[in-house]
Structure formats: structure tokens, C-alpha cells
Amino acid sequence: MKILQRLSASKLTPVFIRLFLRLKSSRERPSAPLGSRLLTNPDDVFKHNTWLVRKKCLKSSLISPATDEFDKEASLHWNSFYEVHQDRFFKDRNWLCLEFPELFPLAVKDQTVSKSNSHHSLHQESPQTFAFPGQHASFRILEVGCGVGNSVFPILNKTNSFLYCCDFSPRAIKLVMHQDYDDSVCHAFVHDLCEAEASFPFPPQSLDVILAVFVLSSIHPKIEGVINRISAYLKPGGTFLFRDYGRYDLTQLRFKKGQCVSESFYMRGDGTCVYFFTKEEVHQLFTKAGLEETQNLEDRRLQVNRGRKVIMHRVWIQSKYRKPYLCQPITKWSM
């Protein structure tokens, strides 16, 4: 109390404003995720480092002469990545159950059953000409850019849903299909999201959830078309779950001169690429695809390596967009 009395109103006001804006940033904030330990230091460390970040990013934004290499050889670079690292590079995403409970239908059954019943007359499954994997499942999930299965198996271990997973690296899909792979609950396949004519092994309006975790950032120039195409496979009421790099994340700061392909889009040393989003960009991409926002957060975290005494500023965007319950034409589908 004595400390608060010593602080002037001019110092307290900005603190309360930032807290208010942070709480207001989403209509559906999870109960405990997204860095619930808020930084309340009056020295305002995030504001100071944001200034440093902007200056450094602008200074390093030199366009690389190989601006189209990522598009022509992206699959080769990612295939080489998985050849080298196998399944040892990324950790399993066991945090999914906390951040994205929509992936686990038992956890969200009470929230969705009433809506499903009330809108049943507005939606029917698309008529199928051919049988398809998972056609008898009551809940279907698609993960795009699944890599070696760091989301796949944590999801399958906690749900009875049918899971489709795809990646444009044949090597990654081969690693997914190891001894724990069960084709009665999962269908893994090679697919290039940027290929407009590439088909999926399921009909339109057949998915309950689409998951994209740190994948759309690697295909930045074609993101809009990708989101538009795959959103057509969501059922009315289905949800698109998104998590990816945010603008001025530590990863962006570490790029050197000559690695910037275009604004906030960079090429790594191994030829793979990454884009850094803003909340506003994400909102525009998904709403243009006809989806409705249920969550759109900028997750800013101050991570500390206690052993090395290193402070790391991380920025991620986490979003959830729902396909509205509207009368839509049913399209006949065939593989």
C-alpha cells in the first residue's frame, strides 16, 4: 500500500490502460493459457524493447535477390529439413488441449450440441459419390502442415475423433506413419496447400476443425488463397484454429541482412521461409474467407533462461474463426 501511495497517477494510468486493452483484446480468452504471468514492472520493459525491435527490423530489411526461390523449391527445402532432423527437432504440442479445447469434442460437447441441433435444418453433409477415409466418424479434424506429427499424436491420444493430416514433404509424412500410426483413426497424406487444383480425400463441408500451427507463415504470398480453399471444407459451425509467429518476435530479430524476401517475410539459411503476422492481418485473411472471429490474440511473452541469464521476447498470434451457420449450396463431390 505504501508503494502505491508513492506512485503518482501519471505512472499508474498507463499501467491500467495496458491491462484494460489486453483483457479487451478477445471476447473469449482461455482460463489460464497465453502467458498468464503479466509483467507489471513500472519500467515498462515491453514498450522499451518494442522500440528496439522496430529499429532493428527496419535496418535489416534488405531484399534478397533470390525472391522467388522459396516458391520454386520450398518442398525440396522442407524435405531436406526432415531428412536431416527426422523427428527430433520439434517437441510434441501437449499444450493443445489447453489452448484449443475445440479439438476435443468431449470437452466442448455442452457448448456445441445446442447449436448443432438448432441449425440442423440448415446443414446437411455433402453428398458423396465415393467412400472416403473417416466417412463414418462423427467428428473430423484436419491438420495442415503436420510435419512429423507433433500435433497428431497428442490429439489422437486424447480424443476419439478422426484426424486427417497433410504436409507437402513426403519425408515428413513417412515419419508420421511409424509404428504408432493407426489408419482407423488417422489418414496422413502428401498435399501442397499452394496447389489450387490439388484435391483432398474428403468432401467439402465435412470437417469440424481445421488446425494450422506454425505453417501458414511459411507460404505467406499465397496465404489468402489457401485459407479460402480449405475453409470450404469446414462444416457450418466448424472452427479454424490458427497459431503462428507475430510481428517482432525474437525469431524475426535474429535474421541478418540479405535474408528479407519482402516486408516481414524472411528466408532462413536452409532455404525455408517464415512470415511474421499482425492481428489485423490475420483478422482480414479469415474474415475475407467468410469466417467469424471468436478469438484473435497477440501473445507477448517474456521468457527467461535462468541458467544463462538470458531474456527472450516472444510474440505469437493465436486465433479462432468459425464458419457461420448459413444456407449454402451443397456441391456434389468426387475424388
Side-chain angles (χ1 to χ4, degrees):
M1 191 68 185
K2 291 181 179 180
I3 296 176
L4 289 175
Q5 290 175 347
R6 287 198 296 266
L7 290 174
S8 65
S10 61
K11 292 183 179 179
L12 283 174
T13 300
V15 174
F16 286 116
I17 290 175
R18 287 194 300 276
L19 286 173
F20 173 77
L21 292 176
R22 184 177 179 88
L23 292 172
K24 189 180 177 183
S25 63
S26 170
R27 298 191 298 272
E28 190 179 327
R29 175 174 285 277
S31 58
L34 297 176
S36 55
R37 300 182 187 90
L38 299 179
L39 181 66
T40 58
N41 190 325
D43 290 337
D44 206 0
V45 64
F46 279 115
K47 182 177 180 180
H48 176 67
N49 281 279
T50 298
W51 176 79
L52 290 175
V53 168
R54 288 181 180 273
K55 186 175 181 180
K56 182 169 182 179
C57 287
L58 291 172
K59 184 178 179 180
S60 65
S61 293
L62 300 178
I63 305 302
S64 167
T67 55
D68 61 348
E69 182 180 345
F70 67 90
D71 195 23
K72 294 180 179 179
E73 301 180 355
S75 62
L76 295 178
H77 292 312
W78 279 108
N79 219 41
S80 298
F81 174 89
Y82 290 116
E83 288 283 356
V84 173
H85 297 288
Q86 299 290 306
D87 60 355
R88 301 182 299 270
F89 192 84
F90 300 109
K91 296 180 180 179
D92 282 350
R93 293 164 179 157
N94 295 309
W95 49 265
L96 288 170
C97 61
L98 178 62
E99 302 290 357
F100 295 138
E102 295 84 355
L103 290 166
F104 308 96
L106 291 179
V108 297
K109 185 176 180 180
D110 294 338
Q111 302 172 21
T112 59
V113 66
S114 60
K115 283 189 176 180
S116 298
N117 291 336
S118 62
H119 294 278
H120 179 72
S121 60
L122 297 179
H123 169 63
Q124 297 177 354
E125 293 280 348
S126 301
Q128 290 94 37
T129 304
F130 300 102
F132 65 95
Q135 65 176 340
H136 300 300
S138 60
F139 197 88
R140 306 186 193 100
I141 301 169
L142 166 67
E143 186 193 8
V144 294
C146 66
V148 298
N150 297 103
S151 296
V152 171
F153 296 103
I155 293 173
L156 291 176
N157 288 338
K158 296 183 179 180
T159 182
N160 294 322
S161 305
F162 193 92
L163 178 61
Y164 305 96
C165 56
C166 65
D167 199 282
F168 72 165
S169 166
R171 181 58 184 168
I173 294 300
K174 186 176 180 180
L175 289 167
V176 170
M177 301 174 72
H178 55 56
Q179 60 182 1
D180 293 330
Y181 179 80
D182 182 354
D183 61 9
S184 69
V185 294
C186 183
H187 181 70
F189 58 100
V190 177
H191 185 91
D192 185 351
L193 293 174
C194 295
E195 180 53 60
E197 302 302 320
S199 62
F200 285 98
F202 43 78
Q205 299 188 36
S206 61
L207 301 175
D208 294 277
V209 176
I210 295 175
L211 176 67
V213 178
F214 297 106
V215 58
L216 297 185
S217 55
S218 65
I219 56 174
H220 163 61
K222 298 184 178 182
I223 290 177
E224 183 175 339
V226 169
I227 293 176
N228 289 340
R229 285 193 297 274
I230 60 179
S231 294
Y233 291 89
L234 276 175
K235 298 176 182 178
T239 302
F240 201 127
L241 304 175
F242 170 87
R243 186 172 175 86
D244 221 312
Y245 296 104
R247 191 68 51 86
Y248 309 125
D249 176 61
L250 175 66
T251 308
Q252 184 177 8
L253 305 188
R254 289 177 171 172
F255 281 105
K256 300 177 181 178
K257 293 182 180 179
Q259 290 185 279
C260 187
V261 178
S262 59
E263 184 179 356
S264 297
F265 189 50
Y266 298 80
M267 182 179 291
R268 302 185 182 96
D270 60 5
T272 61
C273 292
V274 59
Y275 182 76
F276 298 87
F277 294 92
T278 65
K279 278 191 353 176
E280 293 73 21
E281 287 173 328
V282 171
H283 179 78
Q284 184 177 24
L285 286 167
F286 283 99
T287 53
K288 286 182 71 174
L291 305 183
E292 299 174 340
E293 177 187 322
T294 59
Q295 183 187 87
N296 190 24
L297 301 173
E298 182 182 67
D299 180 7
R300 298 173 61 87
R301 300 196 187 190
L302 181 63
Q303 293 185 337
V304 179
N305 186 317
R306 296 180 180 178
R308 298 170 54 196
K309 303 296 182 183
V310 175
I311 295 176
M312 297 167 286
H313 295 85
R314 304 309 309 269
V315 184
W316 298 298
I317 306 296
Q318 179 169 303
S319 307
K320 303 176 183 181
Y321 283 81
R322 182 182 293 119
K323 190 169 188 175
Y325 290 96
L326 299 174
C327 294
Q328 299 179 5
I330 303 294
T331 304
K332 190 173 182 180
W333 172 82
S334 61
M335 291 184 64

